[in-house]
Amino acid sequence: MKTEKIYSAGIDIGTSTTKMVISSLLLKNVAGVTHVPRIEIIEKTVLHQSPIIKTPFLNEDIIDMKEIQQFIIQQYQHAQIAPSEISTGAIIITGESATKENASEVVHAIADTAGHFLVATAGPDLEGIIAAKGAGTVQLSKNTAKVIANIDIGGGTANIAVMQFGEVIGTCTLHVGGRLMEFHNGKVHSISPPLMKLMMNWSNPLQVGDLADDTRIEQLIAEMVSVLATTLSGQGIDAQHPLLLGHVPNWHKPVEAIVFSGGVASCIYNDDCTLRQYDDIGEKLANMLQQHEQLQSFLWLKPQETTRATVTGAGTQTTDISGATIQVDAEVLPLKNIPVFHCPIDLAARAYDHMVKTAVDRADALFSIEDKRSPFALYFSALPYLSFQDVRALCEAILHYLGTRSSRDMPIIIIIQSDYAKIIGQTIQAINPSVPILCIDQIKVETGDYIDIGEVLPSGVVPVVVKTLAFHSK
């Protein structure tokens, strides 16, 4: 194999804006002729960036799915690429749009019509990580060795992802965004519930109908920025704070540098303030972030992308490639939103039956819904040298606890960090040829991650999207 080109799409449906990126990924076997093949993405090229449009809504609670679908079809036409040519990528619904009545329906309808790419619909932690990749902050953390926080501020939320040496060490999401207060005809038109809660202790809180130049608006924005600065400074935030969305900050190293991305960042860095077309607090928020004394104590670094950070990350940075030594039943692909359970192997004990039984029981307890078993993937990391007897014993244990329940809807899914996927997959099929199996390697995951596995590519590998929903101390 010389090289193989696949196409990727990224679609970001945000609180304020919707945009799309179409990219090409170049795959190559980077191992020597005498070595086990190792297929890697050696080049990522953005082929088409859509215009940034206002996210269309039928009303306050329902996204206009037809208009978004028409927008996507137009982008494929401009890029001169058919949806059927798309192999991977992600659709992300972010911020307030993710809370709309038909958010899930929109994502899956688009996924069905916009190509064979994989769907990433996980929450704000994943969004923050994807934005940090698209903004170039992950690479900056590799290059500088500094602890860097990427703060992606859109219309509804500020998604914070903190990283060092290219690894995410923590996340946090705040209700800080440009559309949390909107104006119309010089008056306050809407105030989001988190801001209403924030003002509960005020003697005279803002209300819909107040003037757009009311001095209390700046006071409110200043309080939002102060919460963000305090969070980044590691001073802690109460778990019940009205601006906190989800868990408290979970990084344990002091942040040294900050990077802003998202629509608000386009005003911070003055590259293209897309917020000027919106009648909201976005531009004032950007100005106050720049002037805040506590934030100035950090090293400020500039992103590669601002408004397009999330969609660029979704289109170019979400996909991993499996190893070439895999065993997969192509008929059960693609698979989406498969939870992962880590099954540690104690080779000294060689108690494969006990280890697999324990892992399967725990995975069932975690992932079953109302006593109905759900498919999951078992992850075997850091496997040492396995003899043929070891491989056979491991495979018999896997079949014992997963074989009788397997079907096309519930294949046996095994993920291995090292190059054992083919021998383990072939051994399972030799013992029981009727069992559908997916056994892939060279993918690193953890318990609590979710994975999407795409269709087999001509090179014999599969694209994989790892969706990290929780972080683990290292």
Side-chain angles (χ1 to χ4, degrees), residues 94-95 124-125 127-129 131 150-154 157-161 172-174 176 245 261 310:
T94 57
D125 282 347
E127 294 159 19
I129 296 161
N150 192 90
I151 307 104
D152 189 73
I153 308 182
T157 55
N159 298 327
I160 304 169
C172 179
T173 299
L174 301 173
V176 173
L245 174 60
S261 62
T310 300

Side-chain angles (χ1 to χ4, degrees), residues 13 56-65 93-108:
I13 304 167
F57 292 95
L58 294 175
N59 57 45
E60 285 187 2
D61 298 312
I62 298 177
I63 300 165
D64 189 336
M65 184 162 60
I93 288 198
T94 57
E96 297 292 307
S97 291
T99 67
K100 301 306 179 186
E101 281 182 19
N102 64 336
S104 178
E105 180 189 350
V106 167
V107 165
H108 291 98

Side-chain angles (χ1 to χ4, degrees), residues 65-372:
M65 184 162 60
K66 286 187 177 178
E67 190 170 334
I68 288 178
Q69 285 178 316
Q70 289 172 353
F71 169 73
I72 290 167
I73 290 167
Q74 287 174 352
Q75 302 320 306
Y76 279 126
Q77 290 171 345
H78 290 316
Q80 297 183 318
I81 290 175
S84 59
E85 295 180 79
I86 301 295
S87 298
T88 187
I91 303 171
I92 313 287
I93 288 198
T94 57
E96 297 292 307
S97 291
T99 67
K100 301 306 179 186
E101 281 182 19
N102 64 336
S104 178
E105 180 189 350
V106 167
V107 165
H108 291 98
I110 291 171
D112 289 340
T113 59
H116 299 297
F117 59 101
L118 310 175
V119 183
T121 57
D125 282 347
L126 177 67
E127 294 159 19
I129 296 161
I130 290 174
K133 290 179 176 180
T137 307
V138 172
Q139 190 61 46
L140 272 176
S141 74
K142 289 181 183 178
N143 297 345
T144 64
K146 291 185 180 298
V147 178
I148 307 177
N150 192 90
I151 307 104
D152 189 73
I153 308 182
T157 55
N159 298 327
I160 304 169
V162 180
M163 56 212 62
Q164 186 180 33
F165 305 123
E167 295 287 331
V168 178
I169 61 173
T171 57
C172 179
T173 299
L174 301 173
H175 290 289
V176 173
R179 301 282 283 178
L180 296 181
M181 180 179 289
E182 297 176 86
F183 309 113
H184 185 65
N185 292 333
K187 293 185 178 180
V188 175
H189 176 67
S190 67
I191 305 172
S192 71
L195 294 192
M196 294 295 290
K197 285 183 184 178
L198 191 65
M199 293 187 291
M200 280 178 63
N201 295 327
W202 288 22
S203 58
N204 185 23
L206 284 157
Q207 296 179 2
V208 171
D210 287 339
L211 294 176
D213 59 359
D214 192 306
T215 56
R216 289 173 295 170
I217 293 172
E218 293 211 353
Q219 180 187 343
L220 182 62
I221 297 170
E223 198 164 330
M224 293 165 65
V225 173
S226 179
V227 170
L228 176 61
T230 300
T231 302
L232 292 170
S233 299
Q235 296 172 23
I237 181 172
D238 187 88
Q240 304 305 315
H241 196 287
L243 293 191
L244 182 66
L245 174 60
H247 62 79
V248 297
N250 55 4
W251 56 89
H252 303 292
K253 294 182 179 180
V255 172
E256 300 170 277
I258 56 176
V259 175
F260 287 96
S261 62
V264 170
S266 67
C267 288
I268 291 174
Y269 299 104
N270 296 317
D271 55 351
D272 175 24
C273 189
T274 56
L275 300 174
R276 293 192 177 106
Q277 61 183 297
Y278 302 104
D279 208 0
D280 58 28
I281 59 172
E283 202 166 345
K284 287 183 178 180
L285 175 61
N287 292 336
M288 206 162 288
L289 286 165
Q290 288 176 287
Q291 297 164 13
H292 195 273
E293 186 177 348
Q294 194 173 2
L295 289 177
Q296 293 305 317
S297 66
F298 297 104
L299 173 66
W300 284 53
L301 300 173
K302 194 168 183 180
Q304 292 176 357
E305 293 282 352
T306 53
T307 309
R308 299 178 189 269
T310 300
V311 74
T312 300
T316 64
Q317 303 288 337
T318 54
T319 301
D320 289 325
I321 298 296
S322 75
T325 53
I326 63 175
Q327 186 74 18
V328 299
D329 189 334
E331 291 183 13
V332 302
L333 293 174
L335 285 174
K336 297 171 183 175
N337 294 323
I338 301 297
V340 175
F341 191 87
H342 186 189
C343 181
I345 292 292
D346 180 2
L347 192 64
R350 282 183 160 76
Y352 298 112
D353 192 86
H354 174 71
M355 286 182 283
V356 173
K357 179 184 186 304
T358 301
V360 169
D361 287 346
R362 289 179 178 173
D364 275 338
L366 271 177
F367 305 127
S368 294
I369 301 171
E370 296 179 351
D371 296 327
K372 183 181 179 183

Side-chain angles (χ1 to χ4, degrees), residues 7-64:
Y7 294 107
S8 171
I11 301 167
D12 177 18
I13 304 167
T15 305
S16 304
T17 61
T18 291
K19 49 265 185 196
M20 180 174 177
V21 162
I22 299 172
S23 310
S24 66
L25 309 179
L26 197 63
L27 312 184
K28 186 177 182 180
N29 179 11
V30 298
V33 177
T34 59
H35 293 75
V36 173
R38 185 173 295 274
I39 313 299
E40 291 187 1
I41 300 171
I42 61 166
E43 185 178 290
K44 301 172 183 178
T45 306
V46 175
L47 302 177
H48 174 71
Q49 287 187 326
S50 76
I52 298 170
I53 65 166
K54 273 190 174 182
T55 299
F57 292 95
L58 294 175
N59 57 45
E60 285 187 2
D61 298 312
I62 298 177
I63 300 165
D64 189 336

